[in-house]
Amino acid sequence: MFELLKARILHGYQAIPDPLKAKINQAFPGVPRLSAGADLAALAKCCPVNAISDSGLDLGRCIFCGKCQRLDPEAVSFEADFRLAADSREKLIIRPGQQDYPETSIQTRLPRQFRRSFALRNVSAAGCNACELELGACSNVNFDMGRYGIEVVASPRHADALILTGPISQNMEAALYSTWDAIPGPRFLILSGACAISGGIFAESDKIRRSFASKLTVTLYIPGCPAHPLSIIHGLVTLMRGR
Amino acid sequence: MTNPSCLELPARLNSVAFFEQIRKLCQNGYSPMTLFGSKNRQLFCLLHQGAELKLLNGDFPSTLSFPSLSPQFPSFQILERELYEEQGLVPIGHPWLKPVRHPRGDIYEGYEFFASQSSALHEVGVGPVHAGVIEPGHFRFTCRGEIVEYLEIQLGYQHRGIIRIFEQDDIRDKVSLAECIAGDTAIGHALAYCGIVEALTATPPLGVRIRIIALELERIAMHLAVLSALAGDVAYLLGQNLLAALRTEVINTTLSICGSRFGKRWLCPGGVNYGIPMALAQGIVSNLKKTQNRIRLSCEAMLSEPSVLSRFDDTGKVTAPIASEYGFTGIVAKAAGLKLDSRVDFPLYPQIDFIPCTECSGDVYARAQLRYLEIMQSFDILFMLLKEPLDTKPLSQKPKEIKPDSLAISIVEGYRGRILHLAKTAGDGSTEFYRIVDPSLVNWQALAIAVRGEGISDFPLCNKSFDLSYCGSDL
Ligand code: SF4
Ligand code: SF4
């Protein structure tokens, strides 16, 4: 009994006051910056997921392993900025010299009725479970995304959106389609984590089936490996209410 | 043996002698760690008795079948099913040769779940998509009223074909992949993988103490996640929230060192990518001391709360004889009283004088209490290691050339239990095979056994107390 009281008192108030403006530890690799003269060919060679090409660094593929930055810290840096989400696949490509990310990364707005309430149904499809743990953490006392009216619901019948984690295995494909079909319209698709967006580290596997994610219209992409709870909350809230 | 290390390849036996030898070893107290076939039609089996390892190598049986070991030694049940699925070798007399991962797709096609004709029983099917934010798997309960008579677990939904990706290209470049075998055990698996590369290239790693810190931080964080979820499952909401917030503090510590809350990008073959500067180490110690104290208060309160105990006590039992018969490892085995901990038998850092924690009742309570004890023990290890400077440069050295025709094994005690990686190179240095054995693979059977006779409403609680990995076993 006394232990519990003491634990409760020491616990204090844990919620992050404003997750949208939270300060994240400097060690966190968030929004990348490529220098204007970066040697993209050399960087491309070191990247384990082919995230770097002539056009720039693809946040939809990047697993934030830091290899490129360690190879050439002048050419690539990652700011401690968790505002990584975007509303189109093209916007996720960071060009050399580009400084304006994330200013215009999310311009889509959900219809008015979703401004204060947004129910998500997660389908976990063959990732590594870190994206699931981070999505779960969004509802804990620290991040508390319930304060924005966002909740994760059990039944797809109660959901407004499907938030997919994982690259989609052959064995999960049918269940994913059934869950999507069970969500009443209007419904939205959100991809969380490199796996869901591009197949991530598993993109080359012959056990992965990408048709679901490539055929349907995606409303929000949340990069990361895993996507950080603050990135998830920032993306969702911006989609709901604008910045 | 030193861990990790390269093992001498034993003389190749014909298939009859191979299985006979396994049988003999098992009669003498050995238990299997893995059994598999390679692309050039050879069989491998690794067994152990305590710290004693035995590797066997044999030919494929020309009949493509062999007498099953499972009826006599149930610890082979899943290993033989894997072998059948991957190589088409039939274990004749296997009690139930059901699919493991469905590598050929169509998860339900042609498969009959266990069913009873009795009108007193009914079935409940759950998954693959579950109510919460968790990985997919299918559970089929056969119940008498509220009581579970039988549970069949059918997994395979997380099968990503990881092994194939490991076997392609240069084995030295796969650390990011190893971190994604199971993200909740990113450190455990990455460490096991790094060990393989270091053994195959004869590169002694730097930053070993930092690696141990990483591993123990992961253990603390994930045990807290489980304890928090257990509290939630019995509606002890204060405990759920306190422990979740404490886990946040631990994983944010990991983030402050390497940038990832799961310790991804921290390790690399040959060492570590990120050190711990003295100033940071001091800050971490003083924060973690406070965290440890709050964990102690929260856990002591929770694990003596009557309403919690009435749900935890005697629920979901796995006894010691069952655990050793089935070859369960990690938390499941230790909670049943078996002193099985790779940190003793295959230490990565022998300088630590380590006595594994155990419990004896084998129920949900034992697994919860054991997690709490292990958390406290991991803190002791952390504080000991964090006393000395940890960012001496360089932090890693580049792995050297890969030795051809070598077989390496690497063992790590992850928070769930024993993680085993095994790899063999071919004559040209390419990877002939890579094997990953997460403790979950064998331990799923423990859950199926534990829920028999329990109320179906206790299933979430039992399930969480084991906290097994789906992707770690479906690979
Ligand atoms: S940080 Fe991203 S872009 Fe850089 S190497 Fe890693 S995955 Fe590639
Ligand atoms: S994106 Fe990364 S963290 Fe998320 S499921 Fe995939 S591998 Fe895991």
Side-chain angles (χ1 to χ4, degrees):
Chain A
M1 179 69 192
F2 290 114
E3 270 111 4
L4 192 60
L5 284 174
K6 223 165 140 192
R8 176 64 190 89
I9 291 163
L10 289 172
H11 175 78
Y13 182 77
Q14 293 277 343
I16 298 168
D18 182 355
L20 302 178
K21 298 206 174 71
K23 271 237 149 321
I24 194 161
N25 192 291
Q26 281 307 309
F28 177 76
V31 175
R33 302 283 179 222
L34 286 179
S35 71
D39 179 359
L40 292 173
L43 294 171
K45 257 197 239 137
C46 85
C47 178
V49 287
N50 301 322
I52 301 177
S53 67
D54 298 344
S55 31
L57 190 159
D58 182 356
L59 279 175
R61 287 173 177 261
C62 180
I63 56 168
F64 299 84
C65 69
K67 232 177 154 184
C68 53
Q69 185 186 22
R70 289 190 293 272
L71 183 79
D72 189 351
E74 304 281 292
V76 198
S77 59
F78 290 84
E79 287 178 10
D81 184 344
F82 55 80
R83 297 173 301 163
L84 288 160
D87 59 8
S88 83
R89 190 68 184 84
E90 292 73 47
K91 286 183 190 168
L92 291 176
I93 311 219
I94 306 289
R95 287 162 278 116
Q98 185 183 348
Q99 291 293 334
D100 62 354
Y101 203 91
E103 254 96 87
T104 54
S105 57
I106 307 173
Q107 287 160 311
T108 310
R109 294 292 163 266
L110 292 179
R112 273 189 68 84
Q113 64 264 39
F114 298 108
R115 272 177 63 175
R116 287 160 187 274
S117 148
F118 198 39
L120 311 171
R121 169 67 246 198
N122 169 237
V123 175
S124 156
C128 77
N129 195 32
C131 274
E132 288 77 7
L133 285 169
E134 290 299 53
L135 181 60
C138 291
S139 308
N140 74 14
V141 282
N142 304 102
F143 298 104
D144 183 26
M145 73 176 171
R147 70 180 95 181
Y148 300 105
I150 310 169
E151 86 184 296
V152 178
V153 292
S155 169
R157 298 283 189 220
H158 302 158
D160 303 314
L162 188 153
I163 181 162
L164 174 70
T165 49
I168 312 171
S169 60
Q170 186 177 1
N171 290 343
M172 245 334 257
E173 196 179 21
L176 173 59
Y177 273 108
S178 321
T179 310
W180 176 250
D181 289 342
I183 298 178
R187 57 187 174 180
F188 306 92
L189 176 60
I190 297 165
L191 306 182
S192 182
C195 278
I197 301 175
S198 68
I201 190 104
F202 306 115
E204 307 296 316
S205 167
D206 63 344
K207 297 289 181 261
I208 299 303
R209 296 288 176 272
R210 298 291 303 159
S211 82
F212 179 87
S214 50
K215 267 201 323 234
L216 296 174
T217 310
V218 179
T219 307
L220 189 70
Y221 300 85
I222 313 173
C225 182
H228 192 282
L230 290 173
S231 306
I232 299 174
I233 293 173
H234 165 261
L236 293 173
V237 174
T238 314
L239 198 62
M240 289 161 72
R241 340 192 276 201
R243 41 181 84 243
Chain B
M1 110 177 181
T2 51
N3 176 34
S5 66
C6 281
L7 294 189
E8 189 98 29
L9 210 60
R12 179 140 36 110
L13 305 169
N14 68 44
S15 71
V16 178
F18 176 80
F19 287 106
E20 253 335 288
Q21 191 66 29
I22 295 179
R23 207 177 283 277
K24 249 195 225 126
L25 287 167
C26 290
Q27 274 155 358
N28 289 321
Y30 277 80
S31 75
M33 294 163 101
T34 182
L35 168 70
F36 61 95
S38 72
K39 358 183 212 279
N40 34 17
R41 302 171 65 82
Q42 290 185 32
L43 291 166
F44 292 88
C45 183
L46 185 69
L47 304 104
H48 82 112
Q49 183 175 32
E52 201 65 46
L53 287 177
K54 256 295 187 297
L55 178 69
L56 299 177
N57 181 205
D59 285 323
F60 268 27
S62 53
T63 55
L64 298 186
S65 65
F66 61 95
S68 171
L69 298 155
S70 305
Q72 199 180 352
F73 307 107
S75 48
F76 281 94
Q77 61 90 11
I78 188 110
L79 304 179
E80 289 183 340
R81 280 161 53 198
E82 260 189 310
L83 188 61
Y84 170 64
E85 195 167 271
E86 290 171 12
Q87 306 293 349
L89 301 185
V90 187
I92 295 170
H94 189 288
W96 195 5
L97 211 48
K98 66 195 225 84
V100 183
R101 305 187 173 101
H102 303 262
R104 284 171 284 276
D106 294 315
I107 200 131
Y108 286 125
E109 207 187 348
Y111 178 67
E112 302 271 340
F113 281 88
F114 180 81
S116 162
Q117 302 308 319
S118 163
S119 61
L121 301 176
H122 68 279
E123 282 181 19
V124 181
V126 183
V129 179
H130 298 283
V133 185
I134 54 167
E135 297 177 83
H138 183 82
F139 300 101
R140 187 72 66 102
F141 301 89
T142 304
C143 299
R144 184 186 304 275
E146 293 289 306
I147 301 300
V148 178
E149 294 287 339
Y150 186 81
L151 164 62
E152 180 178 350
I153 302 174
Q154 184 55 58
L155 303 180
Y157 298 93
Q158 295 283 67
H159 181 56
R160 300 148 293 175
I162 273 199
I163 300 284
R164 287 287 97 73
I165 318 181
F166 268 102
E167 289 170 351
Q168 291 155 7
D169 310 321
D170 194 329
I171 186 69
R172 293 170 293 186
D173 294 336
K174 304 284 180 189
V175 68
S176 298
L177 186 63
E179 288 168 345
C180 300
I181 294 167
D184 44 33
T185 327
I187 297 284
H189 276 289
L191 193 49
Y193 157 80
C194 288
I196 289 288
V197 175
E198 287 147 14
L200 285 177
T201 58
T203 312
L206 304 176
V208 176
R209 283 187 302 136
I210 298 178
R211 289 175 163 196
I212 304 295
I213 291 173
L215 185 66
E216 298 306 326
L217 277 170
E218 177 172 271
R219 190 181 324 277
I220 295 173
M222 286 315 299
H223 279 340
L224 283 173
V226 176
L227 288 171
S228 165
L230 281 175
D233 279 336
V234 298
Y236 181 65
L237 298 184
L238 183 56
Q240 178 188 15
N241 289 323
L242 293 176
L243 293 163
L246 288 160
R247 168 174 176 260
T248 306
E249 290 183 14
V250 177
I251 56 182
N252 284 351
T253 304
T254 305
L255 184 144
S256 73
I257 301 168
C258 71
S260 157
R261 308 212 304 164
F262 295 83
K264 291 190 173 189
R265 65 198 244 134
W266 194 349
L267 311 187
C268 62
V272 295
N273 287 321
Y274 301 92
I276 310 176
M278 205 59 211
L280 182 58
Q282 280 160 359
I284 289 175
V285 170
S286 81
N287 283 341
L288 287 184
K289 286 239 154 100
K290 288 185 211 135
T291 309
Q292 183 192 21
N293 183 39
R294 285 167 48 208
I295 293 173
R296 191 177 51 75
L297 291 168
S298 308
C299 287
E300 297 277 341
M302 167 162 134
L303 295 169
S304 58
E305 175 73 39
S307 65
V308 171
L309 293 181
S310 75
R311 295 286 308 275
F312 283 17
D313 272 343
D314 241 11
T315 307
K317 262 195 154 149
V318 176
T319 59
I322 292 282
S324 55
E325 191 179 349
Y326 280 86
F328 299 146
T329 76
I331 291 289
V332 183
K334 287 183 267 189
L338 303 185
K339 279 205 171 48
L340 261 186
D341 196 308
S342 319
R343 289 174 289 177
V344 179
D345 294 335
F346 311 101
L348 291 163
Y349 187 67
Q351 289 84 334
I352 298 175
D353 204 5
F354 181 84
I355 301 164
C357 306
T358 51
E359 280 290 312
C360 53
S361 52
D363 51 6
V364 172
Y365 171 80
R367 289 184 288 276
Q369 172 73 15
L370 180 63
R371 288 180 200 277
Y372 165 51
L373 295 178
E374 287 204 348
I375 288 173
M376 290 298 143
Q377 192 179 36
S378 295
F379 272 115
D380 293 342
I381 298 175
L382 283 182
F383 294 142
M384 198 180 85
L385 295 173
L386 280 163
K387 273 201 299 242
E388 290 155 65
L390 287 158
D391 62 339
T392 43
K393 296 268 171 348
L395 290 162
S396 67
Q397 57 176 323
K398 218 173 143 16
K400 303 185 198 114
E401 283 308 303
I402 300 167
K403 291 187 280 182
D405 280 320
S406 305
L407 189 146
I409 78 158
S410 173
I411 299 170
V412 170
E413 186 75 7
Y415 85 96
R416 289 192 177 95
R418 184 183 62 221
I419 296 169
L420 167 72
H421 285 210
L422 219 134
K424 182 170 180 305
T425 52
D428 58 357
S430 65
T431 314
E432 193 178 306
F433 62 73
Y434 199 97
R435 293 298 293 186
I436 303 162
V437 189
D438 187 272
S440 308
L441 182 72
V442 256
N443 283 354
W444 275 108
Q445 185 63 24
L447 172 62
I449 292 172
V451 297
R452 290 179 198 162
E454 299 290 357
I456 193 166
S457 53
D458 274 333
F459 174 71
L461 182 61
C462 290
N463 186 19
K464 200 67 225 175
S465 74
F466 288 97
D467 184 55
L468 301 170
S469 173
Y470 299 73
C471 57
S473 62
D474 299 351
L475 297 176

